[in-house]
Amino acid sequence: MSLADGMRRTGDIKGAVACYLEVLELLVTSFEESKGDENEDEELEKARMAARQEFLAQMHHFCEETTSPALNETYAPHRIHPQTVDDIRALCSSVLRTRSSIFGLLHPDAIASRRLLVSLLYATGRWSDAIELAEAYLTSLSGTSEEKVPGRAETKYLLGTMLRYYDESEKEEALEFIQEVYQSRTKLFGRAHEKTIYSVLDVVDLLETLGRLEEAMELQESHSKLAEEVWSEMDPQALLFNSNYAILLAKEGREDEANEILRSVTDHLAKLGNKNRRPILGAMVNRARVLVELEEADDAEKAFEVSMGLQVSALGEAHPDTLRTYEDFAYLLQSLDELPRALALREQVSMIRKQTIGQRHPLTLQA
């Protein structure tokens, strides 16, 4: 362990992983041997079990520390050096197996390792493996209450985030998971809490994607007044929420109502000095999307161009929010028969994803 810790401090990730894996083998061997020894002193075995738990905790912390660039935001492309990704995944998997074997599948330490591995598989594009592990994990927790298993909602959210990019049946499954997250947050925090209201946007987006616009509208409308209670009209979150509502209104043909919200959002955005916050940028992009639905193509094109410039400056060109805006703008350009510009944007998105998350990542393949 000391050698592994030294390598970790000097940045030798591959060497540290190799040492930790050797320690894991010794831990498993000693545990198996102790199980067959009926004469083992009880206090001595307790001390050994505590030592095993501490060693495993150190390895888990190393995994968290090493993968934190990938997992600090669940939507972000991974930032782990490609030469160490497989080694880190192997260590996370081994720590999970060892903790599950020694302490049991539902022990808090085993649950923490499983959540970390699911998140890592997600962030590094191993979505099939992540989905399989996450679904097996949730199945193993059936019958236990949400409150007794911290992190279950996050696992459901990750599952929903991945499944929503697949076919319609997977999108329906994604909707179920994200609705469960919404219901869980409603129960824990209340309907007017910021986290709950953000969950509403996720559910609304999926309902809209599945063509269930009426249900999406009903859910959005039921929370509009609650959003006003939580935030003022000038609050960035309120601007994001209301601009999303305007998109749905425009799609449903309620143009007067959509225009009224659009004018309000536009006025408030004009009064804001710093527009680099993510909710504000999201509201600006939503404004462009409303204009598309209202068939105001020239204004929509200008709004997209301004929004993209700010997103690149504030978030970076490779940020998923920026790339989604590129894709939406490409759709607009295509509808206007500006095919060369649309194609150039799509190629730019594909190139950025290949460079940041790899050629085999599901989002790259989709692009």
Side-chain angles (χ1 to χ4, degrees), residues 155-198:
T155 301
K156 290 178 179 178
Y157 180 78
L158 275 183
L159 258 178
T161 300
M162 291 181 282
L163 291 169
R164 71 195 300 171
Y165 287 100
Y166 290 90
D167 295 332
E168 185 168 344
S169 60
E170 284 83 7
K171 284 182 169 64
E172 292 283 0
E173 192 177 355
L175 176 61
E176 289 181 19
F177 283 122
I178 293 180
Q179 281 177 325
E180 287 174 14
V181 173
Y182 159 60
Q183 290 162 2
S184 173
R185 288 179 174 175
T186 300
K187 184 177 180 181
L188 289 173
F189 307 118
R191 292 179 71 236
H193 193 278
E194 181 177 333
K195 288 185 177 180
T196 307
I197 291 177
Y198 267 105

Side-chain angles (χ1 to χ4, degrees), residues 279-346:
I280 297 173
L281 293 169
M284 293 182 69
V285 174
N286 279 350
R287 178 177 174 272
R289 292 172 181 146
V290 176
L291 290 167
V292 170
E293 296 299 328
L294 294 173
E295 299 183 356
E296 298 180 20
D298 290 342
D299 289 341
E301 185 173 347
K302 292 175 185 176
F304 270 125
E305 289 173 344
V306 170
S307 299
M308 287 191 304
L310 288 170
Q311 283 182 318
V312 170
S313 175
L315 305 175
E317 191 176 46
H319 194 283
D321 288 1
T322 308
L323 294 178
R324 183 184 176 190
T325 303
Y326 280 5
E327 290 173 328
D328 286 349
F329 189 29
Y331 279 118
L332 173 62
L333 293 173
Q334 184 175 337
S335 71
L336 297 174
D337 289 331
E338 296 190 35
L339 300 183
R341 291 178 66 193
L343 181 59
L345 269 179
R346 293 186 188 283

Side-chain angles (χ1 to χ4, degrees), residues 8 36 64 66 76 113-114 158 163 225 277 302 305 310:
R8 175 179 61 80
E64 286 186 316
T66 310
S113 287
R114 193 173 289 106
L158 275 183
L163 291 169
K225 291 183 179 179
R277 289 182 59 186
K302 292 175 185 176
E305 289 173 344
L310 288 170

Side-chain angles (χ1 to χ4, degrees), residues 155-275:
T155 301
K156 290 178 179 178
Y157 180 78
L158 275 183
L159 258 178
T161 300
M162 291 181 282
L163 291 169
R164 71 195 300 171
Y165 287 100
Y166 290 90
D167 295 332
E168 185 168 344
S169 60
E170 284 83 7
K171 284 182 169 64
E172 292 283 0
E173 192 177 355
L175 176 61
E176 289 181 19
F177 283 122
I178 293 180
Q179 281 177 325
E180 287 174 14
V181 173
Y182 159 60
Q183 290 162 2
S184 173
R185 288 179 174 175
T186 300
K187 184 177 180 181
L188 289 173
F189 307 118
R191 292 179 71 236
H193 193 278
E194 181 177 333
K195 288 185 177 180
T196 307
I197 291 177
Y198 267 105
S199 296
V200 172
L201 295 177
D202 289 324
V203 175
V204 165
D205 183 56
L206 263 170
L207 286 169
E208 183 190 346
T209 301
L210 289 165
R212 294 157 63 174
L213 186 58
E214 187 175 339
E215 293 176 64
M217 179 64 73
E218 183 179 348
L219 181 61
Q220 177 93 40
E221 286 179 335
S222 71
H223 281 77
S224 291
K225 291 183 179 179
L226 287 172
E228 292 174 6
E229 293 174 10
V230 177
W231 304 307
S232 68
E233 284 189 350
M234 283 284 292
D235 191 281
Q237 284 85 355
L239 294 174
L240 177 63
F241 192 82
N242 289 333
S243 59
N244 194 74
Y245 187 24
I247 294 172
L248 295 180
L249 288 168
K251 286 186 175 182
E252 203 174 56
R254 295 159 64 177
E255 295 183 1
D256 290 343
E257 294 171 81
N259 268 310
E260 183 179 351
I261 293 177
L262 179 62
R263 284 193 293 271
S264 174
V265 169
T266 301
D267 290 343
H268 290 315
L269 285 172
K271 295 174 184 176
L272 294 173
N274 183 1
K275 294 184 173 62

Side-chain angles (χ1 to χ4, degrees), residues 82-110:
Q83 293 181 355
T84 62
V85 167
D86 290 338
D87 299 292
I88 295 167
R89 273 198 299 253
L91 179 60
C92 290
S93 180
S94 296
V95 171
L96 168 60
R97 285 196 302 272
T98 305
R99 279 179 156 178
S100 300
S101 174
I102 293 177
F103 308 123
L105 288 171
L106 298 184
H107 189 279
D109 290 357

Side-chain angles (χ1 to χ4, degrees), residues 50-70:
R52 294 182 190 118
Q53 189 166 8
E54 176 58 28
F55 284 146
L56 287 165
Q58 290 180 38
M59 294 181 210
H60 179 77
H61 177 70
F62 167 78
C63 291
E64 286 186 316
E65 180 183 75
T66 310
T67 60
S68 60

